[in-house]
Amino acid sequence: MTSITAPRPKVPPLEGELRPGARPSRRQWLTRAAFGRNPIGMIFGAPYALFIALLFAYPLSLAVWISFHSYFFAAPGVSVPRPFVGWANYTAVLTDPAVRQSFVNIGIFLVINVPLTVMLSLLLATALNAAIPFRTFFRTSYYVPYVTASVATIGVFLFILSPSGIFNHVLGPLAPVPSWLVNQNWAMPSVAIYVTWKGLGFFILLYLAALQNVPDELYEAAKVDGASWWHRLRAVTIPGVRQVTTLVSLLAIITGANLFTEPYLLTAGGGPDGKSASPVWLIYESGIEQNHPDFASALGVLLVILVLLISAGVWLLQRRQA
Amino acid sequence: MKSRIVVAAAVPLILGLLAACGGGASGVSTSSANDAQGPITIWYSNNAQEVAWGEQMVASWNKLHPSEKVSGQQIPAAASSEEVIGAAITAGSEPCLIYNTAPAAVPTFEQQGGLVSLSSFPGGAAYIESRTGPGASVYKSPDGQYYQMPWKSNPVMIFYNKKIFAKAGISTTNPPLSTYTEFLATAKKLVSSKAAQYAIYPDPSSDFFQSWYDFYPMYAAETGGTELVENGKSTFNSTAGDAVAAFWQQLYAENLAGKESYTNDPFASGAAAMAIVGPWAIDSYQGKVDWGVVPVPTTAGSHGDQVPTFSDAKNIAMYASCKNRGTAWDFLKYSTSTAEDGKLLSMTGQMPMRQGIQQLYAPYFKANPAYTEFAAEAAHVIEVPNVPNSIQDWQVFRDAWSKSVIFGQQSPDAALTGAATAINKLVAATTP
């Protein structure tokens, strides 16, 4: 097969640009090395770069620095020794049973939350994408919990999951004892189910957007071939929204790893007995309440690394499947 | 491209190092600031009665001292006052005086370099000691200086709902709550008669300070006034500590005390027949609960109003960013004068930490006899230990308590032994 390429029109170089074949001067080379071929692009990108540098890169760099020193928050102008302590803070974090428990808790949370989020949001998005009555009402209804303050929705869940709440009334003798939020085995699953419900609206929205891009012809062809609803879901819908599934999985993992409000409010500070404590809760407890930001920073850095590794694993897995 | 990556990577790193190494704004020189006069800002608690007291006190000062104007405001809202104050110290944005400083947080604020020694003012220590009496010494820091002014206490006692007690057929004038045996029998009767869902409902959450409202008052009573840590060692891994733990464990095991967070005040709402709090809570019971109050129980039986309990004190501290410390010190003395202490008592029902309050404010106690018990108890309160890592110590204790006593995942004996060892290590690590 041959390809025909139209000849490129000759465009004269712009002012300041090098002519083809010309050697750049040292100044031109330095300018290009620092700002690229289009310096104007750097100006457009600068506000966001600054935002990233100040609110992400700087705190992260500072956290890494703090994690290798003996550090506590001091008043401005107060000179305090902050000696380098090597890996001591990391050793303290990794040998702390509360930290290990919090990572186990997050593992339980992710195992429940991520698949549940992906499955429910895809199923509900598929249903909401179909021509059903009151479609707009349902779409709004699913989104309401996402935009409602966590404090308010947690208040509702505290009632629902209390010993005399509706769940226990419905379950009767099957209700767990002690009740959900103070039960060693059910506290974290309860938190995971609450978070799934709370975030579902957002993930449904992502899937709805992706479903708009799946060509109708594929469904029609599948129908002609006699594919059932289930087969169409497996053979057309799921592959068609794979990229969004990756995104939803990654966002759910990141949300889960950053869990704080729920153990703080729903299970009264990670109870019972730390069974719903999260690493971020421990960061708050040690860094803010107890003024040990060195320990908290080491834990934070480890959490960042872990989230990056899990996210990379998910991304690679789904890319390989694609 | 490579050089751009290097630049991009270096910028945040340099920023981080600069922030880490930089000292921020310069501090205030002690020698000159202690004499400086001028406008100051203060924070006070955000409960309605204290706000009213604070506003009238600031207004009366400003009328007398127009050139040294004081601006008062409620402490910013957060999970706890300690968090707000700690963050303000770090940012250098704290006011001159805070009328809501928890003694447990003072060692941390001191370590941050956020507090001004009140002993550094001429006659500072003498003023504190003459007002509070010998009890002031527990608020001295290990360096012998006062970084907090003992201000007001809220002796923790047992409140009971007379209506619920009457419904359960229990005396409302002399309820059997003196010994552990009596208390447990009363608690069982309250629940089994369905007069209340729970007998008592202290907050079961794992916040470090929650042990001040279940374990600590009873431990103080049981031991005759021993603090959690004394002479660099924890004290609770003892017969008295075990007895208090066993008492609460039984209440939780028999569902006489609630294990879950309650969305309202369970005592005010009638879900619990008793509460273990100080007089600051009385206002929230107005019009809802006809209450009575008794001292916390002990194994042998509590003896009237001489039973030691936890003070639940809130103190006044001067903060390092304060420039006009001369005015701040004068204002601190003005706000803790006999007249202002009297107003504090009458407007809030909280006990000024002043010697002889029952005699000094006799008309108030005659008009409000229910508060006499608190005034008598105020002379027998104990405080949280003034040791570095205080908050961490309390968190270790709370975690052990939560695991064993509330949720029964470990024997209280083993949990308290483990907590005692951990706290001893923490205290030893910060002892010079």
Side-chain angles (χ1 to χ4, degrees):
Chain A
M1 199 162 96
T2 55
S3 64
I4 299 164
T5 316
R8 278 184 156 192
K10 282 193 175 176
V11 181
L14 296 170
E15 196 181 344
E17 251 194 9
L18 296 176
R19 290 184 179 282
R23 285 176 68 84
S25 68
R26 187 174 166 73
R27 191 177 154 206
Q28 284 170 325
W29 184 87
L30 280 173
T31 308
R32 185 181 285 184
F35 300 110
R37 294 175 72 88
N38 296 299
I40 195 84
M42 294 289 279
I43 294 169
F44 286 130
Y48 190 66
L50 199 66
F51 173 78
I52 293 285
L54 287 178
L55 296 182
F56 289 93
Y58 161 60
L60 187 62
S61 310
L62 185 57
V64 173
W65 189 90
I66 290 173
S67 71
F68 286 105
H69 292 78
S70 174
Y71 192 101
F72 60 88
F73 295 124
V78 174
S79 175
V80 288
R82 283 169 176 153
F84 178 75
V85 294
W87 296 98
N89 290 319
Y90 288 91
T91 309
V93 166
L94 292 171
T95 54
D96 189 332
V99 172
R100 288 202 296 268
Q101 177 68 55
S102 74
F103 278 107
V104 170
N105 296 342
I106 285 297
I108 294 169
F109 176 90
L110 293 178
V111 164
I112 297 168
N113 174 258
V114 177
L116 207 59
T117 299
V118 170
M119 284 190 291
L120 284 178
S121 48
L122 178 58
L123 280 175
L124 289 168
T126 310
L128 292 173
N129 198 39
I132 55 165
F134 307 111
R135 191 166 66 164
T136 311
F137 169 76
F138 283 120
R139 283 181 178 183
T140 313
S141 301
Y142 282 113
Y143 201 66
V144 167
Y146 182 71
V147 292
T148 307
S150 290
V151 175
T153 52
I154 282 174
V156 173
F157 263 70
L158 280 172
F159 280 117
I160 291 174
L161 297 171
S162 70
S164 53
I166 192 166
F167 267 35
N168 285 3
H169 270 297
V170 171
L171 289 171
L174 296 174
V177 179
S179 197
W180 305 92
L181 298 173
V182 288
N183 189 302
Q184 303 267 333
N185 302 318
W186 281 105
M188 205 61 199
S190 302
V191 169
I193 289 165
Y194 164 78
V195 173
T196 306
W197 170 81
K198 176 91 172 65
L200 214 53
F202 174 68
F203 296 117
I204 288 173
L205 208 67
L206 291 181
Y207 272 121
L208 269 174
L211 287 170
Q212 313 290 317
N213 292 327
V214 180
D216 285 342
E217 293 82 2
L218 292 177
Y219 288 107
E220 285 160 13
K223 260 186 189 172
V224 170
D225 288 345
S228 64
W229 176 86
W230 175 244
H231 279 114
R232 288 200 300 277
L233 182 76
R234 280 185 58 199
V236 180
T237 309
I238 292 175
V241 297
R242 181 164 279 139
Q243 282 186 326
V244 170
T245 302
T246 309
L247 179 67
V248 168
S249 306
L250 291 178
L251 288 176
I253 289 167
I254 292 165
T255 307
N258 288 315
L259 201 65
F260 174 76
T261 313
E262 292 74 17
Y264 184 53
L265 294 176
L266 198 59
T267 54
D273 180 29
K275 288 292 189 291
S276 65
S278 66
V280 179
W281 160 257
L282 293 180
I283 288 171
Y284 161 78
E285 189 181 78
S286 56
I288 306 295
E289 278 193 343
Q290 298 171 2
N291 199 11
H292 289 301
D294 41 11
F295 179 93
S297 295
L299 178 52
V301 170
L302 288 175
L303 186 64
V304 167
I305 293 169
L306 195 73
V307 171
L308 281 175
L309 287 175
I310 295 174
S311 302
V314 170
W315 181 72
L316 283 172
L317 194 73
Q318 297 199 344
R319 207 177 97 161
R320 192 173 296 168
Q321 284 174 349
Chain B
M1 176 59 91
K2 197 183 276 181
S3 61
R4 263 178 281 155
I5 291 170
V6 171
V7 169
V11 167
L13 203 66
I14 290 165
L15 281 170
L17 289 172
L18 279 174
C21 303
S26 62
V28 178
S29 157
T30 309
S31 53
S32 56
N34 273 13
D35 299 324
Q37 307 280 329
I40 62 164
T41 302
I42 66 159
W43 287 352
Y44 37 71
S45 176
N46 52 12
N47 77 61
Q49 294 73 36
E50 281 186 62
V51 171
W53 172 79
E55 284 175 351
Q56 68 76 32
M57 192 248 308
V58 167
S60 69
W61 166 273
N62 285 342
K63 209 171 170 182
L64 295 168
H65 306 84
S67 61
E68 296 172 86
K69 202 176 169 217
V70 174
S71 306
Q73 66 167 76
Q74 295 173 41
I75 192 163
S80 69
S81 304
E82 293 74 43
E83 271 178 51
V84 175
I85 300 170
I89 290 172
T90 309
S93 60
E94 75 276 24
C96 276
L97 298 168
I98 299 180
Y99 286 72
N100 200 30
T101 303
V106 165
T108 306
F109 297 160
E110 211 182 310
Q111 182 199 31
Q112 287 184 275
L115 297 178
V116 175
S117 166
L118 302 177
S119 307
S120 68
F121 292 92
Y127 176 73
I128 292 169
E129 285 162 1
S130 66
R131 177 178 173 271
T132 305
S137 61
V138 298
Y139 298 99
K140 242 183 211 175
S141 288
D143 66 358
Q145 308 265 312
Y146 284 105
Y147 291 90
Q148 54 186 323
M149 166 98 193
W151 179 39
K152 59 170 170 114
S153 70
N154 282 282
V156 175
M157 298 180 77
I158 302 287
F159 281 70
Y160 62 94
N161 184 324
K162 289 182 179 174
K163 202 173 160 187
I164 292 177
F165 269 55
K167 195 176 166 188
I170 302 165
S171 167
T172 58
T173 51
N174 188 23
L177 295 167
S178 174
T179 64
Y180 289 177
T181 313
E182 281 179 4
F183 194 105
L184 287 166
T186 302
K188 282 177 192 169
K189 200 170 176 183
L190 285 162
V191 175
S192 62
S193 66
K194 296 198 182 335
Q197 193 181 355
Y198 295 103
I200 194 163
Y201 209 137
D203 193 326
S205 63
S206 59
D207 298 311
F208 71 90
F209 53 83
Q210 297 299 354
S211 292
W212 303 345
Y213 310 104
D214 45 32
F215 167 78
Y216 205 42
M218 292 208 180
Y219 181 66
E222 189 65 22
T223 56
T226 303
E227 291 187 5
L228 191 82
V229 176
E230 287 188 352
N231 304 316
K233 295 265 179 206
S234 61
T235 60
F236 56 85
N237 190 20
S238 61
T239 315
D242 291 344
V244 178
F247 168 77
W248 280 103
Q249 189 192 30
Q250 195 173 344
L251 283 170
Y252 283 112
E254 297 186 24
N255 283 323
L256 303 171
K259 291 177 185 170
E260 297 193 37
S261 285
Y262 199 80
T263 41
N264 282 317
D265 181 333
F267 184 65
S269 70
M274 291 181 276
I276 176 166
V277 283
W280 65 267
I282 290 171
D283 188 62
S284 60
Y285 306 150
Q286 298 290 2
K288 294 177 188 164
V289 183
D290 179 13
W291 55 268
V293 66
V294 291
V296 295
T298 61
T299 45
S302 42
H303 307 290
D305 51 19
Q306 308 295 305
V307 183
T309 187
F310 171 54
S311 73
D312 197 14
K314 286 289 186 294
N315 295 339
I316 310 167
M318 192 183 294
Y319 289 81
S321 290
C322 184
K323 290 189 173 66
N324 296 320
R325 291 179 188 171
T327 296
W329 175 242
D330 291 342
F331 183 79
L332 190 152
K333 286 195 285 184
Y334 177 82
S335 62
T336 53
S337 61
T338 313
E340 283 303 329
D341 278 349
K343 285 181 191 164
L344 177 75
L345 177 66
S346 63
M347 293 177 79
T348 69
Q350 300 182 59
M351 305 294 133
M353 294 173 84
R354 171 180 282 283
Q355 296 183 89
I357 51 170
Q358 278 180 286
Q359 294 77 38
L360 207 53
Y361 307 111
Y364 172 83
F365 289 109
K366 199 175 173 189
N368 301 278
Y371 286 81
T372 315
E373 295 257 17
F374 296 108
E377 278 284 6
H380 305 281
V381 289
I382 66 157
E383 195 41 79
V384 293
N386 192 337
V387 292
N389 283 331
S390 173
I391 291 176
Q392 206 176 348
D393 295 340
W394 281 108
Q395 189 65 61
V396 168
F397 181 84
R398 187 64 186 174
D399 291 344
W401 180 266
S402 179
K403 184 172 191 171
S404 58
V405 173
I406 300 178
F407 295 111
Q409 295 300 307
Q410 193 181 10
S411 77
D413 188 30
L416 293 190
T417 304
T421 310
I423 290 173
N424 288 345
K425 271 187 196 166
L426 281 168
V427 174
T430 51
T431 305

